[in-house]
Amino acid sequence: TRTSRPQRLLQAVCINAVRGNPDSVIAAIDHFCQNQEWAMNVGDEKGAILDSVVMETSPSTVLELGTYCGYSAVRIMRLLPPATRFITLEMNPDYAAVARQVIQHAGLQDKVCLVEGKSADLIPKMADMFGIRTFDFVFFDHWKDCYLPDIRLLEDCGLLDQGSVVLADNVLCPGAPEYLDYVRSSLRFSSRFYRSHLEYTRVLDGLERSEYLGHRDAQRD
Ligand SMILES: Nc1ncnc2c1ncn2CCOCCNC(=O)c1cc(-c2ccc(F)cc2)cc(O)c1O
Ligand SMILES: [Mg+2]
């Protein structure tokens, strides 16, 4: 087929969403995925949980790993004030190109910093590249076997502070078992699971919310 699925998703946004209206962009993508073609956006059911965790955290610095078509970037940024720093990493240039246009259609291009590259390469450069000390909120939605190495990398780079929240998508489907074991057994995180379903399906999935408790020793002091 001539066009890719992300390009067909973007076309649906351009046709059905009102420029400058983030909620209409979200609705257009959900409609496309429910009625035309499934795509791996966090979706409306898990998206509502994402919204609630973002609002209760009210972060001033946000990092997203795995932009895809920009759906969760639009969901997150529509809830936050313009001064919020939002950085999203996408390693697939075709996804990134579509995401930029989806974010622009929502009118959020001035609030989002989309960086192309691999999380493992970019996380250590965050402080220098963006002058960001720590992230208040991190959304994991990239390769599921990168979740564990990347949360360790965030800790090691000192990018998490006491109270920082890491929300991970797909912890049941496709699944991130080693990640779940780590955050649920670590004394440095307080974790809870939000039961939901894989986007646009009845398949069981969910989000894991892990709050960083600070740079404490592994043993309980
Ligand atoms: N900066 C970075 N560094 C490293 N890697 C990076 C990166 N940026 C992107 N990538 C590459 C990974 O990008 C996409 C990751 N997302 C998924 O794979 C995903 C898959 C499903 C799914 C698929 C099929 C089923 F049958 C059932 C479920 C559902 C979801 O909700 C998903 O999120
Ligand atoms: Mg996902």
Side-chain angles (χ1 to χ4, degrees):
T1 55
R2 207 170 29 80
T3 62
S4 69
R5 180 168 307 182
Q7 285 168 330
R8 293 192 294 274
L9 179 149
L10 171 62
Q11 197 171 33
V13 167
C14 293
I15 292 166
N16 303 318
V18 175
R19 194 168 273 285
N21 180 329
D23 287 308
S24 74
V25 167
I26 292 164
I29 293 173
D30 287 334
H31 185 272
F32 173 80
C33 294
Q34 201 69 55
N35 301 283
Q36 258 79 44
E37 302 180 58
W38 185 92
M40 60 181 169
N41 319 113
V42 71
D44 47 347
E45 188 180 308
K46 288 188 289 179
I49 299 167
L50 169 63
D51 289 355
S52 65
V53 175
V54 167
M55 286 188 284
E56 81 190 11
T57 312
S58 56
S60 51
T61 52
V62 178
L63 173 65
E64 173 183 68
L65 303 181
T67 318
Y68 188 42
C69 294
Y71 176 91
S72 47
V74 169
R75 278 206 86 107
I76 293 168
M77 288 317 287
R78 84 191 201 288
L79 302 172
L80 298 175
T84 310
R85 301 290 308 278
F86 181 88
I87 295 164
T88 181
L89 307 184
E90 177 51 59
M91 64 173 273
N92 181 315
D94 300 325
Y95 294 173
V98 165
R100 290 188 202 285
Q101 295 172 79
V102 166
I103 290 163
Q104 183 154 46
H105 198 91
L108 297 170
Q109 66 286 346
D110 298 336
K111 295 169 72 168
V112 175
C113 177
L114 198 167
V115 186
E116 292 182 37
K118 282 195 68 166
S119 52
D121 304 336
L122 292 168
I123 287 172
K125 299 172 184 166
M126 282 289 140
D128 302 332
M129 281 171 74
F130 303 103
I132 285 193
R133 249 180 2 86
T134 56
F135 288 105
D136 303 323
F137 183 83
V138 185
F139 184 51
F140 277 11
D141 197 19
H142 58 325
W143 266 327
K144 310 316 158 192
D145 54 12
C146 288
Y147 285 16
L148 179 52
D150 284 351
I151 197 165
R152 284 204 163 110
L153 192 54
L154 286 168
E155 279 190 81
D156 296 346
C157 295
L159 288 167
L160 299 178
D161 208 350
Q162 195 155 349
S164 292
V165 169
V166 180
L167 188 67
D169 188 27
N170 309 115
V171 293
L172 295 188
C173 177
E178 297 86 358
Y179 173 78
L180 282 185
D181 290 345
Y182 177 75
V183 289
R184 290 175 176 175
S185 59
S186 167
L187 294 176
R188 289 189 300 279
F189 289 96
S190 165
S191 264
R192 66 156 289 186
F193 176 66
Y194 295 84
R195 194 175 180 279
S196 184
H197 296 91
L198 176 69
E199 48 267 24
Y200 317 114
T201 76
R202 288 190 171 81
V203 173
L204 200 59
D205 189 18
L207 301 159
E208 186 82 3
R209 176 194 186 278
S210 305
E211 184 165 336
Y212 193 58
L213 301 175
H215 316 277
R216 58 204 289 174
D217 298 339
Q219 282 69 33
R220 192 177 289 285
D221 43 28

